Structure formats: C-alpha cells, structure tokens
Amino acid sequence: MSTSLETLNPFRIAQDQIAGAVERLGLPSSVYEFLKEPQRVFSVSIPVRMDDGRLQTFVGLRAQHTDVIGPTKGGVRFHPAVDLDEVKALSIWMTFKCAVLGLPYGGAKGGVICDPQLLSAKEMERLARGYIRAIDPVIGPDIDIPAPDINTNSRLMGYMLDEYRSLHGRNAPGVVTGKPLELGGSRGRISATGRGCAIVVREAADRIGLSLKGARVAVQGFGNVGSHVVRSLQALGCKVVAVADIRGGAYNPDGLDIDELARHAAEHGSVAGMPGTENITPEQFFSLDVEILVPAALENQITAPVAAQIRAQIVAEAANGPTTPRAAALLAARGVLVIPDILASAGGVTVSYFEWVQNTMNFYWPEEEVHEKLERMMVSAFNEIWAMRGEHVTTLRDAAYLAGVRRLAAAMSARGWI
Ligand code: NAD
C-alpha cells in the first residue's frame, strides 16, 4: 500500500491543523506564529548503568509547546521511533486537548529513544530516574508536569516522582501525574483515557442514531488505553469482535471474551493466537464489518488506502494522530464520523488534572467522584464541539481545532500578546 503522496510528518500535520483553524476563524496571523513552534525543546543525554555493568547513553527529548494558559503537561513515551518532530507534534496536540477540555494547561510531550523490550525492569527504572535528572531544571508542579504514555506506566511515574524528591529534598506530588495511588495518584486515572473515549463514542452514537446494544467494535492496541476502551465499550453494551496489537490480531464475529483475552495477552505478550479466535492481519483488521473502530496504538495507522477499506460508522481516535490528513478527508467524504484524538483521547489528561488538583489540596476523592467529574467534562466538551461542527458545517476534528484556537487566542489576547 503506497502512502508516498501523504503527509506523514506529524509536526507538519499539527502545524497545518493550527493554520487552518486560525484562517477559518479570521484571527491575526500572529496567533499562528505563536503556536506553530513549541516554546521550548530540550534534548538530553541519559547515561544508564546497564545490568551487565556497561554504561549506555540514551537520548531523551521534551517539548513544551505553550504556557499561555498554564503550566505545560504531557506524557513521556519510551519507544525506538521517538524523534523530535513526533515529540513536537504531540506537544501541540496536548495543547489542543487541554484547550478543548478547558483545562488550565498548555501541552508538552517527552520521549526517550529506546526499545523497552530489550531493557530489564531495573534498567527501565534507572532510565526513568535518569530522564527526570536530565530534565529536572525545566519541570515542576507549576512549570511542566510529565505523565505516562506508550511503554511508560504508574510504576515508572513513581520512580520519576521519587527522583524529583531526592533532587529537591521535599515531596512534590504534583510534579508527575499517573502515579501509584500510594504516592498521591488519583483513583480512576489508569482507566481514564479509555473511559473518556467510550463516553464520547456513546454521545456520538446517540447523535447519529446508532444503538450501542450489540454494536460491533474493533480496537487496535491493547495497552493502557486500548484495554480500557474495550472494557468501557463492552460495559455500554457493545460487542468487541476484534483486538489487534503489534504482534497480530484476534477476531471472533460472535464477540471476544475480554477477561480471557487479557489473560492470554499477559501470558503470551500479545492478543494474537488466543484460542477460539481468528488471527488477522492489519489489513483485515481495518476492513472488518464493524460499527465502531478505535485506533489506540500509534500515529499514522489510518492512511488513505486504509481509510478506503474502513466500513465502520464511527472512528474514535483514542491514540494520538492515528489518521493522516488524506485519510481523514476520505473518511469525511464517505460520511464516516471521526471523533478526533484531541477529544477522544482527552480523558487521561483530564483525570491527570484531577490528580494534580487533589495533590494541591492534599485531599483525595473517591473513584465514583472522579468518574462523575470525567463524565461531566467529556460530555460538556463533546457538546461544545458538536455544536461548533453544526455552526461551521465542518468535521468534528476541524470543529475541535476551532474551539481550541479560539480559547488559546483569547488567552493570548488577555496577556497582551496579540
Ligand atoms: P501502551 O504502550 O500501553 O500500548 C500500546 C499498544 O499499541 C500495545 O498493545 C501495542 O502492542 C500496540 N501497538 C504498538 N504498535 C502497534 C502497531 N504497529 N500495530 C498494532 N498495535 C500496535 O500505550 P498507551 O498508553 O495505551 O498509548 C496508546 C496511544 O494512546 C498512543 O497514541 C498514546 O499517545 C495515546 N494516549 C495515551 C494516553 C495514556 O494515558 N496512556 C493518553 C492519551 C493518549
């Protein structure tokens, strides 16, 4: 499948999205000039003592897009393909996610170029601690707040928090979110991105008259986000018929047993090969006859040729940047409703915000309260974007960028920047 004519550079894609919204709202070009590049980008080296005694240096990155609304915030990704343009793009998308949800943050993103599959648990811990030592001068609860992303989790956030405590000689739980509960994490954080995605799928289905009872779902990615999307959609009555991960896919038209799937994935490192399911390729996965498709893995998974095969009525982008611009245009032309990443994957940062607020108060909420607040904020953001879509006769993605740019431009104006 050739994708040679498509723009796959996520940073270029993010810049184009801002430019389009600024132009459409008739805002001064200075708004674009302020937003087109991250305010600060750092590249750091992280020397790590490996288990065999060798010293190995890894490259870490952090992009802080804009602090016009508040401190910057965003996850840290451990992946071999991390690069500067990816981190810059992800920091921009975080800014928009926060703006769409009305959170008092700007966006940031970090990454370490490494292959976690080749690292032991102890090496991962040293890498996480080394990353915090390296970026320590530019983070803090009211400066920039890291969180989990691909291949990072609450355990690593705990090590990062502990490293910050060692460096500063005091506890500052609000410097990292997605932490273990014992260190000031929030109840409901781990499932938040998946749960938030299911909430907006429910709202979108309601608007287009699609019943979720028995609606067939396919989810790409069975990590932190994908596994919780699967459970949350199942709780809404959907039938999850396919799940794919980096090693393959499991398909059963009668529906998958999710507990069994989770057990199989934990034991074998992949959903592929689960007994009673058909092993499917990525091509087969995207062309399945389903009502709802959820990419919850990486960027650029839905290219134009893939989009042409999609049969779903709703595509909910739980991953960041999973659809290329050409694919997005194709899906729009075919009448597929795409819930954009800056809305569909915003549940995680929303509960990270709740976590930070609880850290500030030193008063912790029960899980039900977190779920209720998340529900309220996701529905309110969805309603705003849905209304904007009607008002501007556009896609949900464009509407979300219009809402985001409008909020950012208002903050710039209030600061006297424009
Ligand atoms: P994760 O590391 O927990 O899981 C990633 C999953 O994607 C794994 O199942 C992996 O096998 C699968 N995968 C990777 N490459 C693949 C490929 N080429 N084909 C099919 N499957 C593939 O990561 P995560 O935290 O679940 O993040 C997934 C996506 O969601 C990313 O785009 C991330 O930026 C985004 N996101 C994460 C959070 C969060 O809170 N963790 C919040 C918002 C958005």
Side-chain angles (χ1 to χ4, degrees):
M1 284 189 292
S2 163
T3 58
S4 58
L5 296 175
E6 292 192 69
T7 309
L8 298 181
N9 179 316
F11 182 50
R12 285 273 311 284
I13 292 172
Q15 286 185 318
D16 288 349
Q17 284 160 336
I18 303 171
V22 169
E23 193 183 320
R24 195 147 178 179
L25 287 171
L27 291 166
S29 62
S30 50
V31 174
Y32 175 69
E33 289 301 312
F34 271 117
L35 294 176
K36 73 177 185 187
E37 288 283 342
Q39 274 175 347
R40 291 178 285 268
V41 176
F42 305 95
S43 173
V44 294
S45 65
I46 312 166
V48 173
R49 184 68 63 189
M50 306 302 278
D51 290 347
D52 62 6
R54 268 181 314 120
L55 194 75
Q56 186 173 335
T57 294
F58 295 84
V59 172
L61 301 167
R62 186 83 186 159
Q64 298 171 344
H65 178 232
T66 176
D67 60 3
V68 63
I69 288 183
T72 53
K73 172 122 199 54
V76 182
R77 178 175 288 197
F78 282 12
H79 197 275
V82 163
D83 68 23
L84 196 58
D85 276 353
E86 180 184 73
V87 168
K88 284 161 72 172
L90 287 162
S91 75
I92 291 177
W93 290 332
M94 278 304 294
T95 293
F96 280 88
K97 225 177 262 190
C98 295
V100 163
L101 265 291
L103 308 179
Y105 296 131
K109 201 76 180 192
V112 176
I113 305 169
C114 66
D115 186 348
Q117 297 203 24
L118 305 178
L119 300 174
S120 70
K122 275 285 160 202
E123 288 166 343
M124 288 283 275
E125 174 179 348
R126 286 180 218 122
L127 190 53
R129 289 182 184 277
Y131 180 69
I132 288 302
R133 278 196 303 279
I135 63 165
D136 174 64
V138 295
I139 59 169
D142 51 6
I143 302 171
D144 180 23
I145 306 140
D149 194 69
I150 293 181
N151 292 324
T152 58
N153 53 24
S154 64
R155 177 180 288 268
L156 293 180
M157 295 306 117
Y159 299 145
M160 291 185 185
L161 181 72
D162 185 61
E163 196 60 30
Y164 190 84
R165 174 191 145 280
S166 301
L167 291 166
H168 293 261
R170 66 184 166 88
N171 265 311
V175 70
V176 172
T177 60
K179 308 176 281 289
L181 283 182
E182 298 75 10
L183 301 180
S186 177
R187 290 185 173 76
R189 171 62 183 89
I190 290 176
S191 62
T193 311
R195 185 177 277 268
C197 178
I199 292 169
V200 292
V201 166
R202 185 196 67 208
E203 294 302 305
D206 173 68
R207 299 307 188 283
I208 64 169
L210 170 69
S211 165
L212 290 185
K213 291 279 162 274
R216 292 162 302 170
V217 175
V219 178
Q220 186 201 33
F222 198 57
N224 176 23
V225 177
S227 62
H228 288 284
V229 168
V230 163
R231 290 198 185 275
S232 300
L233 285 176
Q234 201 183 39
L236 290 173
C238 297
K239 184 163 76 173
V240 179
V241 296
V243 174
D245 63 26
I246 193 161
R247 300 229 217 126
Y251 173 61
N252 183 340
D254 297 326
L256 298 170
D257 177 335
I258 303 306
D259 289 334
E260 203 45 54
L261 188 73
R263 263 193 296 277
H264 180 86
E267 197 177 321
H268 300 274
S270 173
V271 295
M274 174 168 148
T277 67
E278 194 184 320
N279 214 333
I280 47 169
T281 63
E283 287 75 16
Q284 289 169 322
F285 172 84
F286 281 110
S287 59
L288 287 174
D289 189 12
V290 292
E291 281 72 44
I292 299 162
L293 180 67
V294 184
L298 290 177
E299 295 95 74
N300 292 333
Q301 296 300 298
I302 303 179
T303 56
V306 172
Q309 306 299 317
I310 286 176
R311 292 153 84 181
Q313 295 177 46
I314 294 177
V315 173
E317 296 182 337
N320 286 303
T323 312
T324 67
R326 270 191 59 204
L330 224 142
L331 290 173
R334 293 186 42 218
V336 178
L337 184 64
V338 178
I339 312 175
D341 48 5
I342 56 173
L343 177 60
S345 77
V349 68
T350 303
V351 175
S352 273
Y353 165 57
F354 298 161
E355 182 175 330
W356 182 80
V357 169
Q358 292 170 81
N359 294 152
T360 308
M361 299 187 298
N362 228 333
F363 179 70
Y364 291 86
W365 306 335
E367 185 155 352
E368 268 319 301
E369 191 171 340
V370 173
H371 293 336
E372 277 164 29
K373 287 183 160 71
L374 175 66
E375 161 83 22
R376 214 175 314 134
M377 289 188 70
M378 293 299 302
V379 170
S380 155
F382 181 90
N383 285 340
E384 182 189 350
I385 305 306
W386 189 266
M388 202 115 179
R389 168 187 183 258
E391 197 183 313
H392 290 267
V393 196
T394 188
T395 60
L396 272 181
R397 187 187 315 279
D398 286 351
Y401 275 93
L402 293 177
V405 163
R406 200 151 69 176
R407 199 157 274 148
L408 288 156
M412 282 178 203
S413 167
R415 283 185 191 274
W417 291 5
I418 56 166

